[in-house]
Amino acid sequence: MVLPVESPAPIAVTRRSLLAGAAALAAAGTMFAGKAVATPSRRFGHGKFQIDVFSDGFITLPDTVIAPDGTPAERADIIRRLGGRQGTANIPVNIPLIRAGEALILVDTGSGDKFQATAGRLRDNLLAAGIAPDAVTHVVLTHAHPDHAGGILRPDGSLSFPNAVYHVAAAEWDFWMGQDPAARYPGLSGFVPGARRDLGAIAGRLVRMRDGDEPVSGLRVLATPGHTPGHISLELAGDDGLLITGDAITNVVASFEHPHWRFGFDTDQDQGVATRSRLIERAAAEKLRMLGYHWTSPGFAIAERYGAAYRCVALS
Ligand SMILES: [Zn+2]
């Protein structure tokens, strides 16, 4: 696990030091840019963990997926605020690489070449930062959708992270690999072959997880079903709370300001709403910092109560 020499020292982010940390991180981005790294990582400290957030690129989603319950005017406003146009927005993909002692843990793998062509940059961005893919010791999957698990395999069929063990929720594995998932959720049929391909590729390196398990000490699995039946988030031990939310809270506008709206790609949309509402309510009450997979890069934010709902306050 090689770090760029120019890397800034880990920044211990507490609520008090967040503003100072944001300025330092902006400076760090400039330094990375100076080394011709196309997409700089961002570094955060949390307890004993050091987290670098890498971009996998972006995916493009229509307003009918982002906010199917919004009126046309509400959807247009959300797309505008996401920087999109004509009913679609480009949505970032933020992937945390967590160091804990000797462990180098990736949370999700990005799309590889298996989803939209604007995503799949993770491996190149790791290499550009001097991180060898074979140094990754653990991959933890939040779920098996193609923008999260498509990067398990390289185009030639080999594993992108050949030395890692792969942690997958038992419920997620059993759903996709069990009896025809699309029989229960017909809308899923397009995702099933890819999920079976990607999960099948790691069957020999699999660790099945349950709620409360710790893939490494202090990194705890939090079952957050709905987006997929076995979707998980991660809770990191540290002085303040930190949640890695995967796709339990998908969008910086719609999910926070309208937590009771459905999300188009949730497998069980009612369960998705219930999980999202519960998670945001807890995060706001406990002032937990969160890292969102599809939030404004690098995806680090808190939920703040705002009127009858919340707003997403980015922390860098
Ligand atoms: Zn996703």
Side-chain angles (χ1 to χ4, degrees), residues 59 93 108 115 142-143 145 147-148 227 246-247 250 263 265 293-294:
I59 60 174
V93 179
D108 292 331
F115 196 44
T142 62
H143 64 296
H145 277 171
D147 54 321
H148 298 252
H227 184 67
D247 279 0
T250 320
F263 178 67
F265 281 161
Y293 195 77
H294 292 299

Side-chain angles (χ1 to χ4, degrees), residues 18 28 32 53 95 105 107 110 145 153 160 164 167 169 175 178-179 189 194 211-212 279 287 306-307 312:
L18 273 171
F32 277 109
V53 181
I95 300 184
I105 308 143
V107 182
H145 277 171
L153 288 172
S160 296
H167 298 259
F175 172 71
Q179 260 193 344
S189 54
D211 188 43
L279 200 58
K287 296 186 167 50
Y306 187 68
C312 177

Side-chain angles (χ1 to χ4, degrees), residues 3-315:
L3 270 177
V5 181
E6 297 82 359
S7 286
I11 297 166
V13 182
T14 65
R15 279 194 285 277
R16 268 191 302 280
S17 70
L18 273 171
L19 289 176
L25 287 165
T30 307
M31 291 160 62
F32 277 109
K35 295 297 289 179
V37 176
T39 309
S41 68
R42 303 290 188 90
R43 173 165 296 179
F44 303 93
H46 180 82
K48 68 176 183 181
F49 301 105
Q50 175 186 298
I51 305 170
D52 289 296
V53 181
F54 285 88
S55 172
D56 192 48
F58 66 89
I59 60 174
T60 303
L61 294 182
D63 59 357
T64 48
V65 166
I66 295 169
D69 291 334
T71 65
E74 287 170 326
R75 291 208 299 262
D77 179 61
I78 289 169
I79 291 298
R80 181 185 57 76
R81 292 168 61 198
L82 293 171
R85 56 195 291 272
Q86 295 183 329
T88 66
N90 295 339
I91 305 294
V93 179
N94 311 305
I95 300 184
L97 178 72
I98 305 172
R99 292 167 197 278
E102 293 300 305
L104 192 59
I105 308 143
L106 260 185
V107 182
D108 292 331
T109 65
S111 297
D113 66 340
K114 306 296 192 294
F115 196 44
Q116 297 181 3
T118 51
R121 306 288 188 266
L122 173 67
R123 200 169 178 281
D124 286 346
N125 285 335
L126 290 172
L127 287 166
I131 295 163
D134 62 7
V136 173
T137 57
H138 302 67
V139 173
V140 180
L141 287 184
T142 62
H143 64 296
H145 277 171
D147 54 321
H148 298 252
I152 285 174
L153 288 172
R154 300 185 66 191
D156 66 5
S158 63
L159 290 175
S160 296
F161 308 102
N163 295 325
V165 289
Y166 290 76
H167 298 259
V168 182
E172 187 73 357
W173 181 276
D174 292 343
F175 172 71
W176 291 106
M177 302 304 269
Q179 260 193 344
D180 187 11
R184 194 164 144 212
Y185 300 106
L188 278 185
S189 54
F191 286 159
V192 174
R196 290 187 167 187
R197 172 200 62 216
D198 298 335
L199 293 178
I202 54 173
R205 310 185 68 83
L206 174 72
V207 177
R208 290 165 63 89
M209 303 186 297
R210 297 186 188 283
D211 188 43
D213 283 357
E214 296 193 352
V216 303
S217 172
L219 184 71
R220 195 162 62 88
V221 172
L222 187 63
T224 46
H227 184 67
T228 59
H231 184 281
I232 59 135
S233 301
L234 293 169
E235 190 163 8
L236 279 69
D239 42 9
D240 297 314
L242 175 61
L243 291 174
I244 295 174
T245 58
D247 279 0
I249 304 171
T250 320
N251 187 262
V252 288
V253 181
S255 301
F256 284 82
E257 298 181 13
H258 306 280
H260 293 94
W261 281 359
R262 295 170 295 171
F263 178 67
F265 281 161
D266 283 356
T267 303
D268 183 327
Q269 297 190 323
D270 292 339
Q271 191 181 37
V273 165
T275 292
R276 179 159 47 255
S277 302
R278 195 166 54 240
L279 200 58
I280 296 185
E281 182 181 2
R282 180 189 159 203
E286 299 180 19
K287 296 186 167 50
L288 297 175
R289 288 160 295 162
M290 295 184 282
L291 190 53
Y293 195 77
H294 292 299
W295 299 354
T296 308
S297 186
F300 201 58
I302 59 170
E304 200 171 75
R305 284 197 182 282
Y306 187 68
Y310 307 90
R311 63 182 170 192
C312 177
V313 181
L315 293 180

